[in-house]
Amino acid sequence: MRSVPARAALLGALFAALVTLPGLGIGTLWDNSETAYGEVAREILLTRDWVVMHLNGQPWFVQPPLYFWIAAFFAKLFGAGTFALRLPSALATIAMGGAVGYATARIAGERAGMIAAIVLSTSLMQAIVGRLAIMDALLDFSIAAAVLWWYRAFEPSGSPRRRDTAFVCGAFALAVGTLAKGPVAPVITALVVGAWLLWERRAGRIAAPRFGAILLALAVFVGVTLPWFVALGLRVGPGAIAELIGHYTFGRYTGVIENQTGPVWYYLPVVILGFFPWIAFVPVAASAALRDARRPEGGFARLALVWTIVPFAFFTFASTKLPNYVAMILPALAILVALWFERMRNGADRRAAVISAATIPVFVGCVAFAIGAFSRSNRLDVDLAVLNHQLLFLGIAMLVGSVLTVVAIARRRTAPWSPYVLALTSGALVLFIALVAEPAAEPLKPIPPIARTIDANRKPGDVIAIGGVSGGNGLIFYTLPPVRDIKNNAGFVATICANGGAWVVTRPQDAERLTELARSLRRSAEIVMEAPSALHPRAALIRVAGPPCPHD
């Protein structure tokens, strides 16, 4: 017979799988991160080099290799397509649902564990990150596992042997996170656990693993992470490690990488939207957790609060900002909400629960208004018109689900079922997005049809190039490396004159001018296609052929 935590873990993982796996292989990858990371994984198979990562045929020292190793393994099994390249993220998300369910059930009971896992799996950002070919899901799972293991390692209850084992397991999780995305895993975990330990010390509830376990944990961390860094350094020199850790890790915090920045309040709307629809309950849940944290036995509430605040503050002051950076706080928010739902089931905070649930329809309306305003200001009305029916259905379904949740909370007999009502609604909407809305948006992507045209008509020796438009990584992924990057007219001329045939992807407004430039050099040139449609193009494909350019 399974234990209570094991049942919660199994149900949490199963629910996460139901939300994450269906439709995982539908459509094409999104530019630019998915196609870039997918191409790095594919080039492991092309180059048969598992030490030095490559992009577009060139050594690439931007991220550690773990995601790419796993994705390359799945690409070998299933082919280098959408399903195989997104599967590592999906499995990490499923594992996180199980881990959060297990840990919460062990401390707060089976129902709290199941609710925590379900809340986490049906929050918007968690569902999105788990369906993308990026390494953030692996990082977030590693940090969550490390934080939860180390909570157990410093918890007064339990035997010294269990605390020692938990500490070593946490170190292993950190090693996995380091191989997934670098030093950010141990840095964030150390900040969260360190701040929590300071709070626990004041509460007088703290234990510690034995010295031997600390040494073993250090050995495990070094033994897992060091071999690849040593192998990389021996192959290409220490400059590669300096670029990966110095420029692309610490440099992201102290400087702006690839123009990815934002104001100091950047992550506030990200968290509000990313934890939808459960964000409605966070204010009352945090207030209840603060009350619990004042009690000596409130260690888990203290951990969830620290786990929410510390990473959020850390990335707020980083120079480089991306929405997925704060996805690592979603497990903490899910735990806070689950603990609060347990209080509410016992009769506490009923009025606050009804008010919080009632804000969800208002929030849905605000999101609908924001989408409309954003599309008009960015001239996306035509693009979103393709999704009008899907967006309307999503809005109506979410309104109905939130109203049913309000009704369930307001009635004492049905209040315990209220989180499941909202979870089913949110989970169904995630699946609707994956199975209906995302395929409907597929025609909006310009690069895949252009790549298909090139692959169907290219001849041996033809060169592929892109300039002036985004989607270079997608062009590499959907054709074959190398793809040249054209910066200016001189680059265009050098590309078409040095080769027999060339396929050039450019901005639609530049296509006619570049075609005339090629013809002035006595080369035949034509605009083959504009994508995603001739009426609303984002990219144009030029075919250049003929004899070599004359020399001056």
Side-chain angles (χ1 to χ4, degrees):
M1 184 176 178
R2 291 187 179 90
S3 66
V4 167
R7 287 199 303 269
L10 179 60
L11 290 173
L14 285 175
F15 197 88
L18 289 174
V19 173
T20 306
L21 290 178
L24 192 65
I26 290 178
T28 56
L29 299 177
W30 294 92
D31 273 323
N32 275 318
S33 294
E34 273 202 299
T35 49
Y37 298 151
E39 178 60 21
V40 173
R42 185 177 68 166
E43 291 192 28
I44 290 178
L45 303 179
L46 294 176
T47 63
R48 299 182 181 179
D49 188 345
W50 294 76
V51 174
V52 179
M53 303 296 104
H54 293 79
L55 177 62
N56 202 21
Q58 300 298 314
W60 187 79
F61 310 120
V62 177
Q63 300 287 1
L66 182 61
Y67 163 79
F68 309 108
W69 287 344
I70 301 173
F73 171 76
F74 286 134
K76 185 72 173 177
L77 290 179
F78 305 115
T82 305
F83 175 78
L85 297 173
R86 289 176 175 172
L87 190 55
S89 295
L91 294 179
T93 301
I94 293 167
M96 192 191 298
V100 169
Y102 183 95
T104 307
R106 187 184 66 83
I107 298 162
E110 182 177 14
R111 186 177 184 275
M114 288 190 295
I115 292 176
I118 289 172
V119 168
L120 175 63
S121 300
T122 56
S123 60
L124 185 59
M125 184 182 290
Q126 181 77 356
I128 291 173
V129 169
R131 304 180 71 93
L132 293 178
I134 58 178
M135 66 285 301
D136 292 80
L138 283 169
L139 172 69
D140 299 341
F141 168 61
S142 301
I143 290 176
V147 168
L148 293 171
W149 276 118
W150 280 4
Y151 173 85
R152 190 166 191 178
F154 290 98
E155 199 180 22
S157 62
S159 66
R161 183 177 179 181
R162 287 189 175 181
R163 287 198 294 270
D164 293 347
T165 302
F167 192 77
V168 174
C169 289
F172 177 77
L174 285 186
V176 171
T178 302
L179 284 179
K181 209 167 183 180
V184 66
V187 168
I188 291 295
T189 303
L191 289 173
V192 170
V193 175
W196 172 71
L197 286 175
L198 290 175
W199 199 350
E200 288 301 287
R201 188 175 180 181
R202 291 186 58 188
R205 282 177 52 87
I206 191 170
R210 291 173 291 193
F211 183 70
I214 295 174
L215 290 180
L216 180 58
L218 181 61
V220 167
F221 180 82
V222 173
V224 172
T225 58
L226 192 60
W228 177 75
F229 285 99
V230 171
L232 182 66
L234 291 175
R235 280 279 303 275
V236 296
I241 300 174
E243 182 177 353
L244 191 154
I245 296 179
H247 179 66
Y248 283 106
T249 301
F250 292 104
R252 287 180 186 274
Y253 196 85
T254 60
V256 178
I257 303 293
E258 299 174 354
N259 296 318
Q260 297 165 341
T261 188
V264 70
W265 45 264
Y266 177 90
Y267 287 114
L268 184 60
V270 169
V271 171
I272 291 174
L273 187 60
F275 199 55
F276 179 78
W278 306 100
I279 190 66
F281 303 103
V282 168
V284 291
S287 176
L290 283 171
R291 293 194 297 271
D292 290 341
R294 296 190 184 100
R295 301 201 303 264
E297 64 275 15
F300 201 45
R302 289 189 286 270
L303 176 69
L305 288 169
V306 169
W307 189 354
T308 300
I309 295 169
V310 170
F312 184 89
F314 179 85
F315 287 108
T316 290
F317 294 103
S319 297
T320 300
K321 291 180 171 67
L322 282 174
N324 46 290
Y325 286 179
V326 293
M328 61 183 64
I329 74 172
L330 297 181
L333 291 172
I335 290 170
L336 288 174
V337 170
L339 295 177
W340 175 78
F341 267 113
E342 277 296 277
R343 288 173 56 90
M344 193 267 295
R345 186 184 66 157
N346 296 325
D349 299 337
R350 181 66 54 80
R351 180 178 297 178
V354 174
I355 295 172
S356 297
T359 65
I360 299 176
V362 177
F363 186 82
V364 171
C366 291
V367 170
F369 174 80
I371 290 174
F374 178 81
S375 64
R376 285 192 296 273
S377 63
N378 291 273
R379 299 180 180 178
L380 300 178
D381 305 66
V382 176
D383 293 342
L384 287 179
V386 177
L387 303 175
N388 274 345
H389 295 298
Q390 288 80 8
L391 292 174
L392 179 62
F393 176 84
L394 287 174
I396 293 174
M398 199 68 239
L399 283 171
V400 171
S402 58
V403 169
L404 291 176
T405 303
V406 173
V407 173
I409 290 176
R411 302 177 64 186
R412 185 177 298 274
R413 188 173 58 182
T414 57
W417 296 96
S418 58
Y420 302 108
V421 173
L422 189 57
L424 288 173
T425 303
S426 184
L429 293 183
V430 169
L431 292 178
F432 181 85
I433 292 171
L435 300 175
V436 179
E438 186 172 354
E442 191 68 21
L444 302 179
K445 302 176 183 178
I447 297 300
I450 286 177
R452 288 193 293 269
T453 299
I454 294 173
D455 286 338
N457 297 281
R458 67 191 299 184
K459 297 177 181 179
D462 281 2
V463 169
I464 303 172
I466 187 170
V469 293
S470 62
N473 293 328
L475 192 61
I476 299 168
F477 181 78
Y478 290 111
T479 56
L480 276 175
V483 170
R484 298 192 180 187
D485 184 22
I486 296 176
K487 302 292 187 183
N488 47 39
N489 283 355
F492 175 77
V493 170
T495 297
I496 66 171
C497 287
N499 303 277
W503 300 85
V504 180
V505 181
T506 186
R507 298 189 303 171
Q509 58 266 41
D510 294 334
E512 192 65 41
R513 176 179 60 81
L514 293 177
T515 301
E516 292 301 321
L517 177 58
R519 290 169 181 164
S520 71
L521 298 169
R522 300 179 186 176
R523 306 220 67 191
S524 64
E526 62 173 328
I527 301 173
V528 177
M529 65 179 298
E530 293 180 325
S533 69
L535 291 177
H536 306 285
R538 288 201 190 91
L541 175 62
I542 301 173
R543 165 64 173 160
V544 180
C549 300
H551 296 284
D552 292 335

